[in-house]
Amino acid sequence: MKKTALIMAGGRGERFWPRSRQSLPKQFLSLTDDKKTMLQLTVERILPLVAMEDIFIVTNRGYRELVRAQLPELPEGNILCEPVGKNTAPCIGLGAVHIAKKYGDAVMMVLPSDHLIKYTSLFLNTLTDACEVAEQGGNLVTLGIAPDCPETGYGYIKFQPEQTLGRAFAVERFVEKPDLETAKAYLASEQYLWNSGMFIWKTSTILDNLQAHLPETYAGLCKIREAIGTPMEEQVLEREFQGFRAESIDYGVMEKAQDIYILSGAFGWDDVGSWLAVSRIKRSNELGNVVEGNVVTVDTRDTIIQGGGKLIAAVGLEDMIVVDSEDALLICEKAHAGDIKKVLENLKICNRREYL
Amino acid sequence: MKKTALIMAGGRGERFWPRSRQSLPKQFLSLTDDKKTMLQLTVERILPLVAMEDIFIVTNRGYRELVRAQLPELPEGNILCEPVGKNTAPCIGLGAVHIAKKYGDAVMMVLPSDHLIKYTSLFLNTLTDACEVAEQGGNLVTLGIAPDCPETGYGYIKFQPEQTLGRAFAVERFVEKPDLETAKAYLASEQYLWNSGMFIWKTSTILDNLQAHLPETYAGLCKIREAIGTPMEEQVLEREFQGFRAESIDYGVMEKAQDIYILSGAFGWDDVGSWLAVSRIKRSNELGNVVEGNVVTVDTRDTIIQGGGKLIAAVGLEDMIVVDSEDALLICEKAHAGDIKKVLENLKICNRREYL
């Protein structure tokens, strides 16, 4: 069966401010030692499994030109633009109807555009195994990550170790981000995996599930599908999307569906959730510093400095994040990385949108 | 007797980098809430006691235009330029011969240009008292500051509490910067004051002392004095200064001289020795932050941020110093303020003189 990929690149993440901006979200940034952006790495990673012309990028209208510029070899028609973000269920539904319109039934790998995977061949093996399970009947397949700490920032998925299909396990349930005690219990139970947000299914399977669990969204998607390639396409897309209820695929479909399987991925996954990730994904020096740009350090350790042309002198720093950009500079204690969003809230309140 | 002032403005302090540069040392910066520079404040402070035409500025040749620009009302002939810095003894000697040439014998107040004084009227009262002592016989008078902590960064002066002259005490000896234990003993003894580097004497007194204790320098100064106002002035100044031994007035004269008196000054003196001083001399907010420029703070306290147009977002900082300038940014933990010079050493070694 035809293998396709739907890469979701509409996110507006604020956690990499001031490098990421509303006009340049994380997926369009290079955050590794590689010069390639997160989106470019995501596409490159799956090329052994999916041909370029079978890769679809779903994004916000405002990012169409960024996608074109970063993926010049992608057919222009493979860039699907949401008129407005309505969370992942309508986004994935839009991808599904486009792929179904083009190929009829096909395997569809849904992948975030802003995660990193260290071991590509292990990832591709897992994806291949997942495709095999997805092609059988009406199975919804997801990839889970074996937790190595009681992380409270991710959703978890409980699986049934005895109930297998190929290399997959049956999913018992999806659970939302837990508190620390619950996360510790999940970790100890060895029956929970992190929800990676990667899904593999046939277009027919996900559309059937959308029909069953989000019938209004499904009805709108059918109208969009009919209009594809007609002069009405943009108008119908606009109208239907505006009417969609914002809903995640997890809550709208996965938590209600049957026949869900999960494969445990051990391929060096990193969601690159904040500037802290840079310490993991970029080379650090012998003092634990990750330094780029025109930088002088004195008695500084375990610090991330992302500069440019301007000289940055760091004296006596420990566990800090320093990010300089053209018009804004961030200086943040690592333990407060989660509070960067407070800066953006402050800027919004003060109506200083030029910095967002 | 005529009262004159010699303000020493040749320093090249590095402690306010990156605001201070070799081309713009501390005395030419505004570091208070006032817009005036340290030099301007120094001149303004003594105007009730010394007329503008009786104020002399001794500085390095490279700073002549800065002095002119900052003190447009000062007669141009009152800017005395050293061809090369040779520490304070030749510098003060140069001032003395110029003042003596113009006025014969006169009282001369020698003042640093880069200290702050909070209570001007108390300072002027102390200076007036000091002038009275200096006008008698051949007395060398200095102002001392009552220590409020065992500071190891200043020289100390031991005085004899029983031996007074007017409001002054006889000086027993000058001592160099002590170690912490010694400084604690000085503090406890109540017989030591900090050496403020401010001196009051007649031109005849200091020239006599230079003749007695630094005869070679004195001989050179006499040649300079003779050449003042002649076509040979610059040439003689250049030649004699190059030949001078670099010597501080403290070591070269004060530690060897007789008839030294000290007045204890309680006028809110601050030597503004590093960026840390900014917390004392500028208004801080309720979280202890001293913030200037385009700044957003989140969970930040006891931090100095001196910015400009660029947005600076500070998240989770405590006891930090952040100074942004056109081409260089300093981020320094307060406890490491003394290590800013290591940045400059590094820049010198790497021959990046554009940042010095």
Side-chain angles (χ1 to χ4, degrees), chain B residues 5-160:
Chain B
L6 181 72
I7 296 173
M8 296 183 290
R12 294 175 177 279
E14 297 181 330
R15 299 185 200 172
F16 284 84
W17 188 88
R19 281 285 162 86
S20 68
R21 300 294 176 99
Q22 284 191 349
S23 58
L24 188 73
K26 173 186 162 197
Q27 60 270 25
F28 300 112
L29 296 178
S30 164
L31 292 168
T32 60
D33 287 318
D34 203 316
K35 292 281 173 226
K36 290 170 185 143
T37 67
M38 305 287 282
L39 175 64
Q40 288 171 328
L41 290 172
T42 302
V43 168
E44 186 181 84
R45 191 180 296 130
I46 55 163
L47 278 178
L49 220 57
V50 186
M52 184 65 93
E53 67 260 29
D54 299 330
I55 296 174
F56 295 79
I57 312 289
V58 59
T59 190
N60 187 278
R61 272 184 191 165
Y63 305 141
R64 180 193 287 275
E65 293 312 311
L66 275 171
V67 175
R68 282 182 62 177
Q70 295 199 355
L71 300 172
E73 291 166 26
L74 187 83
E76 210 177 314
N78 290 20
I79 306 175
L80 313 178
C81 290
E82 300 169 285
V84 60
K86 292 284 184 177
N87 210 331
T88 49
C91 162
I92 289 169
L94 178 67
V97 295
H98 271 272
I99 294 168
K101 180 98 176 192
K102 190 165 177 186
Y103 296 118
D105 206 6
V107 172
M108 178 180 165
M109 310 173 201
V110 178
L111 305 170
S113 58
D114 60 349
H115 294 172
L116 276 185
I117 284 162
K118 201 167 177 180
Y119 306 110
T120 299
S121 59
L122 298 180
F123 173 63
L124 294 176
N125 287 347
T126 308
L127 267 185
T128 304
D129 292 339
C131 288
E132 279 176 23
V133 179
E135 285 184 49
Q136 297 173 41
N139 295 332
L140 296 162
V141 184
T142 184
L143 305 188
I145 310 295
D148 51 20
C149 65
E151 174 65 53
T152 58
Y154 304 145
Y156 284 69
I157 300 170
K158 187 175 189 198
F159 66 97
Q160 296 175 306

Side-chain angles (χ1 to χ4, degrees), chain A residues 6-7 51-61 63-82 94 98 102-103 228 233-234 237:
Chain A
L6 180 71
I7 296 173
M52 185 63 95
E53 66 261 30
D54 299 330
I55 296 174
F56 294 80
I57 313 290
V58 59
T59 189
N60 187 278
R61 270 184 191 165
Y63 305 142
R64 179 193 290 275
E65 293 312 310
L66 275 170
V67 174
R68 284 182 60 173
Q70 295 199 355
L71 300 172
E73 290 166 26
L74 187 82
E76 210 177 316
N78 289 20
I79 306 175
L80 313 178
C81 290
E82 300 169 286
L94 178 66
H98 271 271
K102 191 165 177 186
Y103 297 117
I228 291 171
E233 180 173 354
E234 274 303 299
L237 180 70

Side-chain angles (χ1 to χ4, degrees), chain B residues 150 152 178-187:
Chain B
T152 58
D179 60 27
L180 186 60
E181 280 313 301
T182 312
K184 283 179 179 170
Y186 290 171
L187 187 63

Side-chain angles (χ1 to χ4, degrees), chain A residues 17 294 299 310-317 320 322 324-333 339 343 352 355, chain B residues 17 294 299 310-317 320 322 324-329 331-333 339 343 352 355:
Chain A
W17 188 89
N294 184 4
D299 288 328
K310 176 182 276 199
L311 176 67
I312 299 177
V315 183
L317 304 194
M320 300 284 296
V322 177
D324 196 23
S325 76
E326 192 66 31
D327 61 346
L329 165 71
L330 169 73
I331 307 168
C332 178
E333 218 268 306
D339 292 333
V343 172
R352 305 176 76 189
Y355 294 115
Chain B
W17 188 88
N294 183 5
D299 288 327
K310 177 182 275 200
L311 176 67
I312 299 177
V315 183
L317 305 193
M320 301 283 297
V322 177
D324 195 24
S325 76
E326 193 66 31
D327 60 344
L329 165 72
I331 307 170
C332 178
E333 218 267 307
D339 292 333
V343 172
R352 304 177 75 188
Y355 295 115

Side-chain angles (χ1 to χ4, degrees), chain A residues 173-308:
Chain A
R173 59 189 178 103
F174 277 63
V175 293
E176 313 260 328
K177 296 175 185 174
D179 60 27
L180 186 61
E181 281 313 300
T182 311
K184 284 179 179 170
Y186 289 171
L187 188 62
S189 77
E190 299 185 6
Q191 291 193 22
Y192 287 83
L193 299 174
W194 287 336
N195 183 348
S196 72
M198 292 187 272
F199 304 102
I200 302 94
W201 43 50
K202 289 183 290 193
T203 51
S204 57
T205 307
I206 188 62
L207 288 169
D208 287 349
N209 272 281
L210 285 164
Q211 184 173 24
H213 305 297
L214 293 172
E216 289 176 19
T217 300
Y218 178 75
L221 289 169
C222 289
K223 289 178 191 151
I224 292 169
R225 179 178 181 161
E226 277 163 35
I228 291 171
T230 74
M232 297 297 288
E233 180 173 354
E234 274 303 299
Q235 199 183 318
V236 173
L237 180 70
E238 176 81 30
R239 189 192 59 215
E240 295 303 325
F241 246 82
Q242 293 292 353
F244 284 154
R245 186 151 50 93
E247 191 78 87
S248 74
I249 197 76
D250 299 72
Y251 185 79
V253 174
M254 304 305 279
E255 293 185 14
K256 293 159 185 149
Q258 304 296 313
D259 300 326
I260 311 181
Y261 290 88
I262 191 164
L263 285 93
S264 174
F267 35 66
W269 174 84
D270 194 313
D271 76 329
V272 195
S274 76
W275 279 114
L276 294 177
V278 169
S279 297
R280 297 191 299 266
I281 63 184
K282 288 202 180 197
R283 268 184 295 275
S284 56
N285 68 17
E286 68 283 8
L287 294 167
N289 297 320
V290 178
V291 167
E292 267 169 60
N294 184 4
V295 177
V296 174
T297 59
V298 174
D299 288 328
T300 290
R301 52 183 64 243
D302 298 322
T303 287
I304 298 167
I305 304 180
Q306 301 285 293

Side-chain angles (χ1 to χ4, degrees), chain B residues 232-288:
Chain B
M232 297 296 289
E233 179 172 355
E234 273 303 300
Q235 198 183 319
V236 173
L237 180 70
E238 176 80 31
R239 188 191 61 216
E240 296 302 325
F241 246 82
Q242 294 292 354
F244 285 154
R245 185 152 50 94
E247 192 76 89
S248 74
I249 198 78
D250 299 72
Y251 185 80
V253 174
M254 303 305 279
E255 292 185 14
K256 294 158 184 151
Q258 304 295 314
D259 301 324
I260 311 181
Y261 290 88
I262 191 163
L263 285 93
S264 174
F267 35 65
W269 174 84
D270 196 313
D271 77 329
V272 195
S274 76
W275 278 115
L276 293 178
V278 169
S279 296
R280 297 191 298 267
I281 62 183
K282 287 201 182 199
R283 266 184 295 275
S284 56
N285 68 16
E286 68 281 9
L287 294 167

